[in-house]
Structure formats: C-alpha cells, structure tokens
Amino acid sequence: MMKFSGKTFLLCFLTTFVLASAFAQDKDVDIPFYHVWVNSPHGDFTGEPFAHWNEDGEVPKSCAACHSTTGRLDFLGADGSEAWVVESSTPIEEGVQCVACHNQVAMHLTEVTFPSGKTVVREEADARCMNCHSGRESGNSVRAAIEEAGVPDDQVSSDLHFLNVHYATAAVSRFGAEAGGGFEYDGKSYMEFFYHDDYATQCNDCHSPHSTEVRVQLCTDCHQGVTEFEDIAAIRSTEGDFDGDGDEQEGIKYEIEGLRESLFSAITTYATDVAGSSIAYGNGYPYFFNDKNGNGTADGDEMARSNGYSSWTPRLLKAAYNYQVATKDHGAFVHNPQYVIQLLNDSIQDLGEQVSVPSTARPE
C-alpha cells in the first residue's frame, strides 16, 4: 500500500478542495456552507489578512499559523509535522479554508495557551477559534520589557518600544484576567471570563461559524429593542457612569468609547509634558507616531515606520498598550466590557499621577 507523508496529503487535499470549488461553481455541486464561507472574512483571499505578503510571495513563518491554511495545519501538527511550531513559510492568499478548522487536531483541542503563558481549558468547541484570536503580546510582555529597560516610571528609555497586542483579539477580552492579555496594574483585581448566559457560552453561539456574522436574533429574547446589529451598541447591564460624562443610560459600548477618548487625551498630554515629545495615533504599524504638527492625529506624511514614536517611558508604554487592547477588539463591549473598562480606567488614573485627567469610575 502506498503511504503518503502528512504534507503530501495536505497538498492533495488542498488541490482537491480548489478543484471541487471550481467544479461546484460550474456543475452546481453542493459543498456545505461554501457560498457562506467564500463571502466571509475568512474566505476573502484578497483581503489584507491574507494578501499582506503578496509582494513577498509567501507568508513568513511568524505569521503563517493564522494567516494561511497551510501554516495553520503545520502549526497544529495536523499535517504530520511537529505541533505548535511552523516549520516554513507558506503560500499567500489561502485564507482560512475548511480544513483549517475541520481536522482531527483542531476539532479535539481542549485548551489554549495565551501569549501571557496562561492556559485556558475549554470543554466547548471554540478552542479552535481562540488560537488565532488571542493576540501576539500580553501584559507580561510589557512588564518584561519595562523590567529589562530598568528605568523609573517617568524616564524615557531608548530600550522601550511599542508592543502591539495584534488584531481581532476577541479571546483576550473574553477571558480577561484568565488570559492576561491586558496590562494589569499591581494591586488591582481584574474581571476573568465574562459569563453572559447559558445560551452564549462559546464563539459559535453568537457568531455564525462560516460567515462570522453576529446572530442578532440571540439577543432579542432578553434585550428589548434589539432587532438588528446596530442596536447591540445600546445594551448595558452594569450600572455606573464609567467615563464620567454624566450619562448612566448610554450603551456600555459608548462608556468604553468615552474612556478610550479620555485615555488618548491623557496619553497625548503626558507624552508632551512628561516624555517631551508629542504623540499621535494612526491605524497602521507601529500605530504611535511623532506628531510633527501637534494635531493629535497621525497624518499621511507622519505615518511612516521611520517616524514611529520613540520617547517611551514605562508609564506611557503601559497606557498605550492598553489603549491598543481596547481598540483592536471591536466587540470588546460584548465580549467582556468590565475587563476593558478596568484596563482603560486604571491606565487613565495611572497617567493621572503626572498629568491632569478626568474623574472616571471602575467596575469591581
């Protein structure tokens, strides 16, 4: 009997998948959920998460585990290779194909180890989702960088640089202190896993697994007035005016947005008054830039890696990291609002040791 290596089998599988997809389009053969998946973010091969490396012609090992199907199977060891390591770069524009999630390793995962080193045990099926939505850095990363720099809280150090938690970090928010994704200040307690209810305990309870769209109808039974996705922003179950704007009825999403705005204002003030160099934020790596014109926004000519902000102090780095944690999970207000509010509040008040900040409240 002819034997195939894991990678030979993978190549055959992917080739068969591509041919089957083309055949399905021409011959109207039904591949389960194909049309739902192909129109989803995971199936958008030309989208930034999968086409970012087109000019390079390959996805590097450091990114391939979540940005290519080949790399995913390599990381899991589902292709017969060593598990939890990617051995080589992978092809571009593969997306997250069926086999990335529907293989014997992924379907039997029972725990996820976060970048913090903390491990979460899952009896449900969403461990396969969490692997790629747990970020690349953690509060421990920030703490280690500060310890290595060895400078006081308000001293600029050339050894410090911004650490990016990464993108779509839903599992970081959802598991809170159990994951350790945010920078958690000493002497403070932080929300752990956010238990919503018995009907929303794993990712696929609230998201369609193939389209990733939110199952809004799940919200309507308990939240009056919620009939479409936009209505979810108005939901809140925790009392308090956390952002200090005097409105205790606004949706928890807007409390978080208010705190983010206050934190960014405190960051810009601290950067100028204490670190001695104005800072701006832009939606592109390395995210924090030197604000040459002082308008608080990273304009086109300022958003260059060579203009990345470099006047970091330990206190500023902690706050900027948490700002990014609260920014890169767009569903944090649903996944675990208390944890994100705690991170934002504590970052604001820590900067308040050196600059004027507004009064904010903290859920315990």
Side-chain angles (χ1 to χ4, degrees):
M1 180 180 294
M2 184 177 294
K3 296 184 178 180
F4 295 95
S5 69
K7 291 192 174 180
T8 300
F9 174 80
L10 171 61
L11 179 61
C12 293
F13 184 96
L14 294 176
T15 301
T16 302
F17 177 83
V18 172
L19 291 174
S21 299
F23 182 77
Q25 291 177 319
D26 292 339
K27 302 298 183 180
D28 197 28
V29 174
D30 183 32
I31 296 177
F33 306 108
Y34 172 77
H35 292 290
V36 177
W37 164 80
V38 80
N39 291 301
S40 75
H42 288 160
D44 182 7
F45 298 167
T46 63
E48 177 66 12
F50 307 114
H52 178 79
W53 303 271
N54 281 3
E55 291 185 3
D56 301 327
E58 60 183 16
V59 182
K61 291 191 294 183
S62 59
C63 305
C66 294
H67 292 274
S68 80
T69 296
T70 301
R72 185 67 185 154
L73 294 168
D74 188 350
F75 178 73
L76 293 172
D79 62 351
S81 66
E82 179 184 355
W84 317 126
V85 62
V86 177
E87 297 176 322
S88 62
S89 56
T90 62
I92 58 173
E93 294 187 331
E94 285 190 335
V96 180
Q97 298 175 21
C98 304
V99 70
C101 299
H102 295 281
N103 64 73
Q104 288 302 308
V105 178
M107 292 193 297
H108 291 88
L109 288 174
T110 57
E111 62 181 36
V112 175
T113 299
F114 286 82
S116 64
K118 294 185 175 183
T119 296
V120 169
V121 176
R122 292 297 289 160
E123 295 181 0
E124 308 211 45
D126 55 0
R128 72 182 90 175
C129 308
M130 291 164 55
N131 266 164
C132 282
H133 291 276
S134 58
R136 295 290 299 270
E137 300 287 355
S138 69
N140 286 345
S141 304
V142 177
R143 195 176 300 277
I146 291 171
E147 290 177 355
E148 185 174 351
V151 296
D153 274 350
D154 302 301
Q155 181 176 319
V156 174
S157 172
S158 59
D159 293 327
L160 294 175
H161 62 277
F162 178 65
L163 297 174
N164 179 32
V165 68
H166 212 52
Y167 318 106
T169 51
V172 171
S173 305
R174 189 162 172 248
F175 284 84
E178 291 184 55
F183 182 85
E184 300 167 7
Y185 290 84
D186 292 339
K188 300 287 186 179
S189 61
Y190 290 87
M191 181 77 171
E192 295 186 339
F193 173 75
F194 178 58
Y195 174 78
H196 190 267
D197 60 32
D198 288 341
Y199 302 99
T201 61
Q202 61 170 318
C203 303
N204 289 347
D205 289 334
C206 296
H207 293 269
S208 169
H210 299 102
S211 71
T212 74
E213 292 180 355
V214 176
R215 301 181 191 269
V216 179
Q217 68 275 12
L218 187 70
C219 309
T220 60
D221 290 340
C222 297
H223 299 287
Q224 294 181 355
V226 175
T227 59
E228 54 189 42
F229 176 75
E230 289 72 18
D231 298 330
I232 297 175
I235 296 174
R236 72 175 298 158
S237 58
T238 305
E239 296 182 357
D241 177 21
F242 302 112
D243 61 359
D245 67 354
D247 187 352
E248 296 188 19
Q249 303 303 315
E250 63 185 348
I252 204 70
K253 176 181 180 180
Y254 303 114
E255 294 281 359
I256 291 174
E257 289 181 356
L259 285 166
R260 283 182 61 248
E261 291 173 3
S262 293
L263 176 55
F264 184 68
S265 178
I267 285 173
T268 58
T269 300
Y270 178 95
T272 301
D273 295 353
V274 180
S277 180
S278 296
I279 195 171
Y281 182 85
N283 190 27
Y285 187 85
Y287 297 98
F288 287 94
F289 302 88
N290 293 303
D291 187 10
K292 296 178 180 179
N293 59 15
N295 68 354
T297 301
D299 301 310
D301 61 336
E302 293 174 334
M303 286 185 60
R305 293 195 179 192
S306 59
N307 189 47
Y309 192 79
S310 58
S311 298
W312 295 104
T313 71
R315 194 186 304 273
L316 183 59
L317 180 61
K318 299 171 191 176
Y321 177 79
N322 279 346
Y323 180 84
Q324 186 79 331
V325 169
T327 299
K328 288 304 176 183
D329 177 15
H330 300 299
F333 69 101
V334 175
H335 297 144
N336 195 336
Q338 287 92 334
Y339 182 68
V340 177
I341 288 174
Q342 289 170 340
L343 294 178
L344 291 170
N345 174 85
D346 294 350
S347 299
I348 292 168
Q349 298 308 319
D350 187 60
L351 291 174
E353 296 290 325
Q354 293 295 322
V355 299
S356 177
V357 298
S359 176
T360 58
R362 187 184 199 274
E364 299 296 340

